[in-house]
Amino acid sequence: MASSGSWYTNFGGGHYQLTLSWSASQSVSGNYSDISAKLYITCFGGWSISANATKYGNITIDGDQIDFTTVIGSVSAGNTPKQLTSASKRVYHNADGSKYLNITASLGVDVTISGVGHIGTVNVNSSNSLDDIPRASSVSLANFTAGDNVTVSISRASGNFTHSIQLDVGGVAIKTASGVGTSHTWSFTEADIKKIYAAMGSAGSASATVWCNTYSGSTLVGDAHTNATCYQVGNSALQTAPTFVVGDSRTYTVNRLRGSVSHTLQLFAGSTLIRTATGVGTSYSLTLTEAEIAKIYALGTSVATKMVCTAYHCGRNIGTSQLTGTASAPPVSSITSKPDHTIGSGYTTSISRSRNAVSHTLRLYAAGQMIKEIGGVATAHTWTPTAAEVAAEYAATPNSNTAAAQATVWCYHYGKLIGTATAGGTATVDPAAAAPIFSGFSFADTRPATAALTGDDQVLVAGESTLKVTVPAAQAAKSTTGASIKQYILYCGGSTATGGYAAVGDVTIQMERAKAGSVRLAAVDSRGNQTVVERLAALVDYIPPRVTQMQLRRDNNVDNKTKLTIKGVWWPGNFGVADNALKAHYRYKVTSAEEFVEGDTIPLTFQKGEWSYEGYLPGDMGAEGFDFQKSFSVEVTVEDALNAAAETGTVDRGIPTMHMDKGGVGIGKIRENGALDVEGDVYSADKRLVRVNEAMLYRRQRDSSDTLDDAASEYGYNYSTSESGLYGPYISAGALNGTATLQLASNTQSGHILRFRTKDVTTSKWNPWRTVYNDASKPTPSAIGAADLLGSIASPRYISNGTNFDNIKTPGWYQCQSNASVTNNTNMPVKSAFVMSVINNGGIIQQVFWVYSNDTSYARSYYDWSNTWSSWTKYYTDKSRPTLTEIAAGEYSTGSWTPNCAQLNLSSKVGSYTRIGKMVYAAFELHISSRKVGAGEISITGLPYTSNSIGAGGIFYSNVLFYANGNTGTPMTSVFVGCYSGSSTLKLMGWVDGRPWTLGGNEVFYSGDVITGGITYRIA
């Protein structure tokens, strides 16, 4: 295409050229081009032309011929063209703005040129495609979202053009506009948007088309269109998960893509719809009503939740989003104070709660007994006990001044029990306030001897009177605080005596040897509290007589005459109707004798509260005293009106250092025999002279020709080997008359062989010599009558391959060091390298077999009388342990069982067991969905084996509570599982008031959780 051009024709041998040039000026609005054409002549290469005659020609533009005349004149060489003529014409383009244009020119040159010849008419032709004139405007449209403003851009060829446009979605006309210049923006009403969505159908998008008609004035220039995609608004996204504490407000936020999008929120707990909120924009604050809270709590205290967000745009559901979470009850409250208190005074229970909507039922316990229940408690409650409640606390603690105090809150949130909390402390009995009520008693001295001396049973003799107290029935002690009177305790002078309590009849208590005038009687209750009543008695400060010093001494330490020196203390007072008096006497006996001989009275000397005596005592030799050759025991007794005191002393034998008379000298004794009579051993040059009874051992040497048969009490060196077979040192001793009954002989060369023999005193003959063995002189097997072994531990005998072990009966040690060398052996316990011992025990042969590689051993026996071998028995060690199956002799097994419970509704149940021999361990797991009120004792049936014994086991439980008597007042302190002999059923039991209690189905309080347990029992 072109808007100008130039065409030419050469003539005259190429020395001349006729050129047609044209140009076009377009009118867009007129859809035409004004064509201007010019005709030129040009000379080349030094050629020129001179023609003054009129020449004729024409220019034809788009079929229209325009004639002209011209005079060429002179055209000189120089390549400068000379215009001959021009022509113009308005040419209209096609409707689409295109135009193909033919322009031709014709010139009658009609000249003859030297060297060239005659030139006639010269023609120039040109064919051209004119530049198109723009016609219909172009339109553009971007993809858009329904509801958003849509801008259409138009590119027009002329600023005078205007346009009418139309938007179609899904083939449905939605919006139009006219008189549009270069752009137009549509906004949409809700009706427009609904119309778009109706055209879109169920799809998420639809094709959009903009149609554009271009006008020049009122004339339609052309039309155009363009396509795009219209989308529905994208889905919103829920930003907040429904995890919340029940009762709390929570704001849920939604991220939406357009402000015109609204939402419907639906909150579910489990599968239950709790709340629907419509018309929600970007946030929604949700506060549950009590009815909605009740719906959630009907499902539990921790419930899975779901928030579903459905997005709407102009009534169209554009999608949903959802998040899950958990609706939980508020945390269980806690008790922040201890229930420590003195019974009768009460206390304050402080509670920390996480939400104001949580209320509490407070139960107060003492020793496991509920004393008080208070409902509707918020954060604190001060308990001021009533008289009945004080009495109930006392009744719960009958045997101690302290008891476990417990405060338990049942926490409720909008009527739902969300848990319990407990605080422990101590309930203390005030001993003064709870002491027994006791008013008095009577007393008397009931010992006749002291009462006779004092003349008054209300007077006590210290340490001697028998005190009797009497509590009349009318004055019996009582308790007003729930305790029981257990006993009376009598206190007097550091001593105590007890008596039992009797509600009917008198109570008497007796104390021997009362020591003081203060008589105190305590009434003791079951808590150990006492009320003491004191009575004062007149007291005689009597002390019994006592010996403080006693000495017996022979004159010169050896004579018969013996002096007694003795002293002591006593009470020389008046009892009331009689004075106290003191007298003394003695008796004696030879120390080794059984019976005493009575002596005389001893005159005493008195000095206030002391007495004494010093003088000689007559003895077995009368006034001469006591025989110096003997020792004596002397007992002195002093006696007053109530008591006697005795002291025993010893009169030793009279032993002189040296005693001489005309017959000789006694050393360390009185001489009795010989010129020298010695008591004890005699030494010479640091060597003791040995005596055996009365015979001396004499040193002697016996030659080889001698015999020991006639040896007396002697020792020496023996060269004779005729009897003992040894020569060397010997000893011969043993008889009272100097003859020998025992002989020892040793070998001087080896030094470690020792033999002995004894004499039969009835026949006076020597028994054979016997050898004494020791670590250096060991016996041979033949010496002790044992068979020699084949081989030794250090060098066992080798067993060749192919040996029958039934034939190995000779005692000894055997071995094989290679597994390859036992393959053909028979009747061995295992085919392995080994070492083996064979023992013969008088008709029973035993083989003991040790495996080299693994510390395992086997044994078996052979019996002569049956000519048979027993089977091999395997021995176990810490390195060769038996398997469970071996231990249980084939009675080890595991498996499963189904625990059934008719008293509880179970969502699931599972059981397993392990049996080893006669013992079975059975485990179970029960998931409780609900209980059956009043369903009877809980029985878990289906044990894999029937029990042959009473068994007890443990359980673990989560979110399960156990209460005695089917109420919430007496919690179990512990729960366990048990079974009876002859049964395949388990029972749930708990401890209440110190005894086991079999649980019923109505005594299990649960919150939907699990009981896990196990029991070990014996089977038949």
Side-chain angles (χ1 to χ4, degrees), residues 918-920 943 945-953 977-986 1015-1020:
K918 300 297 184 182
M919 299 305 297
V920 175
L943 282 175
Y945 298 92
T946 300
S947 173
N948 193 34
S949 63
I950 295 176
V977 65
C979 68
Y980 300 105
S981 178
S983 172
S984 58
T985 299
L986 300 179
I1015 187 170
T1016 300
Y1017 61 93
R1018 184 177 178 83
I1019 63 176

Side-chain angles (χ1 to χ4, degrees), residues 91-359:
V91 177
Y92 287 90
H93 288 235
N94 298 323
D96 62 358
S98 63
K99 179 61 179 177
Y100 189 82
L101 177 64
N102 288 321
I103 303 176
T104 62
S106 177
L107 178 62
V109 176
D110 197 22
V111 293
T112 300
I113 299 174
S114 178
V116 175
H118 182 78
I119 299 173
T121 299
V122 178
N123 297 311
V124 179
N125 297 316
S126 70
S127 296
N128 305 280
S129 290
L130 298 180
D131 289 341
D132 289 343
I133 296 176
R135 302 313 294 145
S137 301
S138 63
V139 62
S140 62
L141 175 68
N143 295 338
F144 64 95
T145 298
D148 290 356
N149 289 343
V150 174
T151 297
V152 177
S153 297
I154 302 173
S155 177
R156 61 185 178 179
S158 171
N160 295 324
F161 286 177
T162 61
H163 309 85
S164 64
I165 57 176
Q166 176 177 304
L167 172 65
D168 291 355
V169 176
V172 177
I174 305 300
K175 300 290 278 187
T176 62
S178 60
V180 177
T182 58
S183 69
H184 181 77
T185 298
W186 281 304
S187 60
F188 297 88
T189 66
E190 184 175 344
D192 294 333
I193 298 170
K194 288 182 178 179
K195 193 174 181 181
I196 291 173
Y197 282 141
M200 195 178 291
S202 61
S205 64
S207 175
T209 302
V210 172
W211 302 95
C212 177
N213 290 331
T214 304
Y215 291 92
S216 178
S218 61
T219 302
L220 177 64
V221 175
D223 61 74
H225 72 276
T226 187
N227 295 321
T229 301
C230 175
Y231 296 95
Q232 76 174 18
V233 175
N235 190 21
S236 300
L238 180 64
Q239 301 296 301
T240 309
T243 295
F244 58 90
V245 173
V246 176
D248 287 0
S249 294
R250 185 164 179 80
T251 298
Y252 295 87
T253 59
V254 183
N255 186 6
R256 63 183 178 180
L257 299 182
R258 297 294 186 273
S260 57
V261 174
S262 65
H263 308 89
T264 295
L265 299 182
Q266 291 178 298
L267 174 65
F268 292 86
S271 59
T272 301
L273 176 63
I274 304 300
R275 169 76 68 89
T276 298
T278 60
V280 176
T282 58
S283 67
Y284 178 72
S285 181
L286 189 153
T287 301
L288 295 171
T289 66
E290 289 193 25
E292 291 168 336
I293 292 172
K295 284 184 179 181
I296 295 175
Y297 277 147
L299 303 174
T301 57
S302 180
V303 182
T305 58
K306 176 176 65 177
M307 180 65 84
V308 178
C309 174
T310 304
Y312 294 92
H313 188 220
C314 296
R316 179 181 177 85
N317 184 337
I318 60 175
T320 61
S321 65
Q322 68 180 36
L323 292 174
T324 59
T326 303
S328 303
V332 176
S333 303
S334 62
I335 299 176
T336 59
S337 60
K338 287 188 174 182
D340 294 330
H341 68 287
T342 299
I343 293 177
S345 63
Y347 55 91
T348 297
T349 302
S350 298
I351 303 169
S352 175
R353 63 183 179 180
S354 64
R355 301 295 188 278
N356 291 336
V358 176
S359 64

Side-chain angles (χ1 to χ4, degrees), residues 829 847 849 856-861 870-876:
Q847 293 178 342
F849 183 101
T856 304
S857 61
Y858 301 83
R860 67 171 181 167
S861 299
S870 67
S871 59
W872 286 99
T873 298
K874 183 178 181 180
Y875 292 99
Y876 296 105

Side-chain angles (χ1 to χ4, degrees), residues 670-921:
I670 301 297
R671 188 197 68 79
E672 297 176 300
N673 299 301
L676 179 63
D677 194 353
V678 179
E679 179 69 23
D681 294 336
V682 179
Y683 285 80
S684 175
D686 295 331
K687 294 183 179 179
R688 185 166 63 90
L689 301 178
V690 180
R691 287 193 314 174
V692 178
N693 290 329
E694 296 181 355
M696 302 293 292
L697 287 178
Y698 299 98
R699 187 178 184 280
R700 181 174 177 178
Q701 176 176 305
R702 289 185 174 269
D703 297 329
S704 59
S705 59
D706 289 339
T707 177
L708 293 177
D709 289 347
D710 60 350
S713 294
E714 62 185 56
Y715 70 96
Y717 199 92
N718 176 36
Y719 287 96
S720 173
T721 61
S722 59
E723 292 107 356
S724 66
L726 303 173
Y727 61 87
Y730 73 95
I731 296 176
S732 182
L736 294 177
N737 59 4
T739 61
T741 57
L742 171 66
Q743 292 180 343
L744 298 176
S746 64
N747 189 325
T748 190
Q749 290 183 333
S750 61
H752 54 251
I753 298 176
L754 179 66
R755 292 184 183 151
F756 72 95
R757 68 176 178 174
T758 59
K759 179 182 285 187
D760 186 345
V761 296
T762 60
T763 62
S764 297
K765 293 184 178 180
W766 288 100
N767 293 316
W769 287 93
R770 301 298 184 190
T771 300
V772 178
Y773 295 110
N774 55 67
D775 58 347
S777 177
K778 299 177 181 178
T780 63
S782 60
I784 60 174
D788 288 335
L789 295 176
L790 288 175
S792 65
I793 296 177
S795 180
R797 182 179 179 185
Y798 183 79
I799 296 297
S800 60
N801 201 356
T803 299
N804 184 349
F805 274 55
D806 286 353
N807 298 329
I808 304 176
K809 300 177 182 176
T810 303
W813 289 90
Y814 301 85
Q815 71 166 344
C816 182
Q817 299 179 354
S818 169
N819 290 343
S821 300
V822 300
T823 55
N824 296 325
N825 290 344
T826 57
N827 295 314
M828 63 187 301
V830 291
K831 294 295 181 70
S832 172
F834 67 92
V835 63
M836 184 175 71
S837 170
V838 178
I839 304 168
N840 190 332
N841 186 20
I844 300 176
I845 298 172
Q846 187 172 45
Q847 293 178 342
V848 183
F849 183 101
W850 290 271
V851 178
Y852 272 157
S853 60
N854 58 16
D855 301 308
T856 304
S857 61
Y858 301 83
R860 67 171 181 167
S861 299
Y862 175 81
Y863 305 98
D864 275 351
W865 54 86
S866 63
N867 194 29
T868 57
W869 285 96
S870 67
S871 59
W872 286 99
T873 298
K874 183 178 181 180
Y875 292 99
Y876 296 105
T877 67
D878 60 338
K879 293 184 179 180
S880 176
R881 297 187 176 99
T883 63
L884 281 175
T885 302
E886 291 172 329
I887 293 174
E891 296 182 355
Y892 171 78
S893 61
T894 59
S896 61
W897 64 289
T898 302
N900 295 303
C901 183
Q903 294 75 36
L904 298 173
N905 293 319
L906 304 178
S907 59
S908 65
K909 53 195 174 182
V910 66
S912 63
Y913 71 88
T914 300
R915 174 187 174 186
I916 302 177
K918 300 297 184 182
M919 299 305 297
V920 175
Y921 174 73

Side-chain angles (χ1 to χ4, degrees), residues 211-569:
W211 302 95
C212 177
N213 290 331
T214 304
Y215 291 92
S216 178
S218 61
T219 302
L220 177 64
V221 175
D223 61 74
H225 72 276
T226 187
N227 295 321
T229 301
C230 175
Y231 296 95
Q232 76 174 18
V233 175
N235 190 21
S236 300
L238 180 64
Q239 301 296 301
T240 309
T243 295
F244 58 90
V245 173
V246 176
D248 287 0
S249 294
R250 185 164 179 80
T251 298
Y252 295 87
T253 59
V254 183
N255 186 6
R256 63 183 178 180
L257 299 182
R258 297 294 186 273
S260 57
V261 174
S262 65
H263 308 89
T264 295
L265 299 182
Q266 291 178 298
L267 174 65
F268 292 86
S271 59
T272 301
L273 176 63
I274 304 300
R275 169 76 68 89
T276 298
T278 60
V280 176
T282 58
S283 67
Y284 178 72
S285 181
L286 189 153
T287 301
L288 295 171
T289 66
E290 289 193 25
E292 291 168 336
I293 292 172
K295 284 184 179 181
I296 295 175
Y297 277 147
L299 303 174
T301 57
S302 180
V303 182
T305 58
K306 176 176 65 177
M307 180 65 84
V308 178
C309 174
T310 304
Y312 294 92
H313 188 220
C314 296
R316 179 181 177 85
N317 184 337
I318 60 175
T320 61
S321 65
Q322 68 180 36
L323 292 174
T324 59
T326 303
S328 303
V332 176
S333 303
S334 62
I335 299 176
T336 59
S337 60
K338 287 188 174 182
D340 294 330
H341 68 287
T342 299
I343 293 177
S345 63
Y347 55 91
T348 297
T349 302
S350 298
I351 303 169
S352 175
R353 63 183 179 180
S354 64
R355 301 295 188 278
N356 291 336
V358 176
S359 64
H360 309 89
T361 296
L362 173 63
R363 293 186 177 96
L364 307 179
Y365 298 87
Q369 301 297 316
M370 188 173 74
I371 306 301
K372 181 75 171 179
E373 179 177 309
I374 308 99
V377 177
T379 59
H381 177 78
T382 299
W383 173 52
T384 301
T386 65
E389 290 165 351
V390 173
E393 278 208 285
Y394 276 130
T397 58
N399 300 315
S400 174
N401 279 330
T402 60
Q406 177 181 311
T408 299
V409 288
W410 271 252
C411 305
Y412 294 91
H413 189 228
Y414 292 96
K416 178 66 174 181
L417 176 64
I418 61 174
T420 62
T422 297
T426 302
T428 303
V429 174
D430 182 355
I437 298 174
F438 179 45
S439 59
F441 62 93
S442 62
F443 72 90
D445 180 2
T446 60
R447 181 180 176 187
T450 53
L453 291 171
T454 63
D456 186 350
D457 66 359
Q458 297 298 293
V459 177
L460 300 180
V461 177
E464 297 300 326
S465 293
T466 298
L467 174 62
K468 177 183 178 182
V469 298
T470 302
V471 181
Q475 293 180 300
K478 298 178 177 61
S479 173
T480 60
T481 60
S484 57
I485 305 302
K486 291 297 185 182
Q487 63 178 348
Y488 296 99
I489 302 177
L490 174 61
Y491 300 95
C492 184
S495 298
T496 61
T498 60
Y501 171 78
V504 178
D506 297 346
V507 175
T508 61
I509 305 173
Q510 187 166 292
M511 179 184 289
E512 302 291 337
R513 300 188 179 280
K515 299 176 182 178
S518 172
V519 180
R520 301 167 65 239
L521 186 64
V524 184
D525 67 14
S526 54
R527 298 189 184 101
N529 298 325
Q530 300 183 6
T531 295
V532 180
V533 175
E534 183 179 26
R535 296 282 308 276
L536 298 178
L539 181 69
V540 176
D541 292 330
Y542 166 82
I543 61 171
R546 181 163 50 90
V547 178
T548 59
Q549 180 181 339
M550 177 177 173
Q551 183 181 44
L552 292 163
R553 184 179 178 85
R554 292 180 184 273
D555 284 353
N556 301 317
N557 289 331
V558 297
D559 292 345
N560 294 327
K561 291 184 71 67
T562 302
K563 180 183 284 186
L564 168 66
T565 301
I566 189 169
K567 62 176 61 177
V569 295

